[in-house]
Amino acid sequence: MTRLRTRTVAGVAAATFAAGGLSALAAHSAAADDAPGIHVADGRIVEADGTDLVLRGVNHPHAWYTGTTTQALADIKSVDANAVRVVLASGERWTRTSASEVASIVDECEANRLICQLEVHDTTGYGEQAGAATLDQAADYWEYLYPTLAGTEDHVLVNIGNEPYGNDEATNAGWADDTSAAIQRLRDVGYEHALVVDAPSWGQDWAHIMSDQASTVAAADPAGNTIFSVHMYGVYSQGSTVTEYLEHFVDLGLPLMIGEFGYTHSDGDVAYDTILAETERLGIGWLAWSWSGNGGGVEYLDLVENFDVGSPSPWGERIFTGPDGLSETSVEASVFGGGTPDPDPTPDPDPTEPEPGDGACTAELAVANAWQGGYQAQVTVTAGDAAIDGWTTTLPAGVEVTQLWGGTLGDDGTTVTHAAWNGNLGAGAATSYGFIGSGAAPSDAEVTCGTD
């Protein structure tokens, strides 16, 4: 079978399940609600306080450029990223990234207020790439790192293995079993982190192995805290292909991110405008490949030249400041102080129960996309000067909701209350819900908000 993708780096809503699947995943979702940090809730990635976590960031090749990381993380933050995916090496193909290095990376990410996604790159292309490590070998490495990473669950994601299979059909048939086994090993070791698993077929899942078997893998995680990651290169040359893949996971109620993508590659151009627009519409995270240091003919994927933030490439400019790029869509994680409650608030000398519309919260509607006969919108709910433990919004008159996620639609068709996981908001904290509406998008976008 023709290899669809190679890369060399210097020296790269409502869920519908088969019988029994829904109840199994619901039970695992409940388990994830008890997670100490970043976790899965109702098919979305949320922080410990229930705030949506929509990753917006880039990849950084630490394993091959260890001396650049400290400055790179500061620079990545300066272009408005809220997350970074860091390349580590387990020692099978590249020099092992030591526990002390990993500790330093995590500290630097925290200092720069970046969610830190750590990935093992040695697994890349197993079954097709000579010398690639297995997921079991990657699990050995994560076991070695457990004492270093324990307690970082609120700002670290563990990406078990990068692109853990090539295009070998026989090898790829074991993706679900091997991935489930690796997840269970990490849970046995003691990991409570959200775990990220990559798709087979060089991460692009063109044979739909991950999309077909993701619910099985999710149910295999005793903590119910697994996130799926697809890499989008030439397989995703058509915008419709991008949309269909993303919506498939939304419809399943399973959390998805785009762990890597470019604007072109050896297997063809990429519908990157659609990737950016559709992930914003659906609230799905992404991490662009890659900060700098690409070689072997794919230097065009560098976001900045020679690790210099002052020399962005055209690809970098598109990601940093283009439509739906970092400057427009990235929101800093609440774990770093954005919208978190005051730990010692001054009590109100004469507290009264706030009534709807009296300032307890505000809501803002934004139309993300519109077409003949319909539109998609998002409503952002923000708590006022005090924490709230539930909210209710009323959509503008004339709105007809056909599909809604992130909230609960009332019988009247216009009242939306919080979901089970996003009702508690600290002072100034925000959450959101989205919906598909029929007819014309509302010209009067006023939404009222109050507490339950």
Side-chain angles (χ1 to χ4, degrees):
M1 188 175 293
T2 302
R3 177 170 173 174
L4 291 178
R5 174 170 169 260
T6 60
R7 181 177 64 245
T8 303
V9 183
V12 100
T16 303
F17 295 101
L22 179 59
S23 59
L25 287 180
H28 282 71
S29 179
D33 286 340
D34 296 328
I38 299 169
H39 62 282
V40 175
D42 291 340
R44 300 182 65 79
I45 306 169
V46 302
E47 297 189 62
D49 64 358
T51 303
D52 273 2
L53 176 61
V54 182
L55 301 180
R56 291 286 184 265
V58 306
N59 286 260
H60 170 66
H62 169 83
W64 307 293
Y65 298 98
T66 57
T68 68
T69 300
T70 297
Q71 185 60 51
L73 294 178
D75 291 340
I76 288 167
K77 181 63 177 181
S78 76
V79 297
D80 295 322
N82 66 13
V84 60
R85 181 172 181 258
V86 182
V87 175
L88 308 180
S90 56
E92 282 76 23
R93 294 179 66 184
W94 295 285
T95 302
R96 171 175 281 211
T97 309
S98 70
S100 60
E101 283 181 84
V102 172
S104 178
I105 291 166
V106 170
D107 287 346
E108 291 291 338
C109 284
E110 187 172 17
N112 286 289
R113 304 163 76 89
L114 292 165
I115 296 297
C116 192
Q117 182 167 321
L118 305 173
E119 59 102 340
V120 169
H121 216 79
D122 300 57
T123 56
T124 306
Y126 175 72
E128 186 175 352
Q129 182 69 55
T134 65
L135 283 173
D136 196 50
Q137 288 174 306
D140 290 339
Y141 179 67
W142 291 114
E143 184 169 358
Y144 156 73
L145 287 180
Y146 176 69
T148 301
L149 296 177
T152 63
E153 295 86 356
D154 60 356
H155 59 285
V156 172
L157 297 169
V158 173
N159 192 169
I160 300 176
N162 180 71
E163 300 179 4
Y165 299 89
N167 289 327
D168 182 75
E169 183 176 359
T171 306
N172 288 359
W175 174 84
D177 288 343
D178 295 347
T179 301
S180 297
I183 291 169
Q184 290 164 354
R185 272 200 62 189
L186 266 61
R187 297 302 182 208
D188 289 343
V189 167
Y191 275 94
E192 297 183 279
H193 295 72
L195 303 179
V196 180
V197 297
D198 281 11
S201 304
W202 299 95
Q204 298 203 73
D205 201 28
W206 58 265
H208 300 290
I209 292 170
M210 184 171 82
S211 62
D212 289 345
Q213 301 183 60
S215 58
T216 299
V217 172
D221 182 357
N225 202 15
T226 294
I227 300 164
F228 298 90
S229 176
V230 65
H231 295 179
M232 290 189 168
Y233 292 95
V235 168
Y236 298 89
S237 61
Q238 300 295 320
S240 59
T241 307
V242 173
T243 299
E244 288 169 6
Y245 195 90
L246 300 181
E247 288 186 343
H248 175 77
F249 275 82
V250 172
D251 290 343
L252 285 177
L254 292 174
L256 179 72
M257 70 170 66
I258 301 177
E260 292 182 19
F261 71 106
Y263 71 96
T264 190
H265 205 46
S266 56
D267 53 355
D269 291 337
V270 186
Y272 58 90
D273 285 332
T274 302
I275 290 172
L276 294 169
E278 290 292 78
T279 52
E280 180 63 12
R281 175 176 75 88
L282 297 170
I284 291 174
W286 53 257
L287 300 124
W289 188 274
S290 71
W291 188 243
S292 198
N294 288 284
V298 295
E299 292 83 357
Y300 52 79
L301 288 174
D302 283 354
L303 294 160
V304 302
E305 298 176 4
N306 299 315
F307 294 93
D308 180 6
V309 71
S311 299
S313 68
W315 174 225
E317 291 177 343
R318 176 66 185 88
I319 290 298
F320 303 158
T321 60
D324 298 312
L326 293 177
S327 63
E328 285 192 2
T329 67
S330 179
V331 177
E332 186 173 89
S334 68
V335 70
F336 298 124
T340 55
D342 183 348
D344 186 23
T346 301
D348 187 337
D350 184 21
T352 58
E353 184 69 22
E355 296 296 330
D358 71 352
C361 59
T362 59
E364 182 177 356
L365 184 151
V367 176
N369 195 14
W371 55 91
Q372 186 172 0
Y375 60 94
Q376 188 271 331
Q378 176 172 293
V379 175
T380 300
V381 176
T382 305
D385 294 333
I388 60 176
D389 59 5
W391 48 263
T392 299
T393 63
T394 303
L395 295 169
V399 168
E400 295 184 17
V401 177
T402 61
Q403 181 180 355
L404 182 137
W405 56 93
T408 304
L409 185 64
D411 292 339
D412 61 3
T414 60
T415 299
V416 180
T417 58
H418 59 86
W421 50 269
N422 63 356
N424 295 328
L425 297 176
T431 189
S432 64
Y433 64 87
F435 67 90
I436 302 295
S438 63
S443 56
D444 176 8
E446 182 177 355
V447 181
T448 60
C449 183
T451 54
D452 292 350

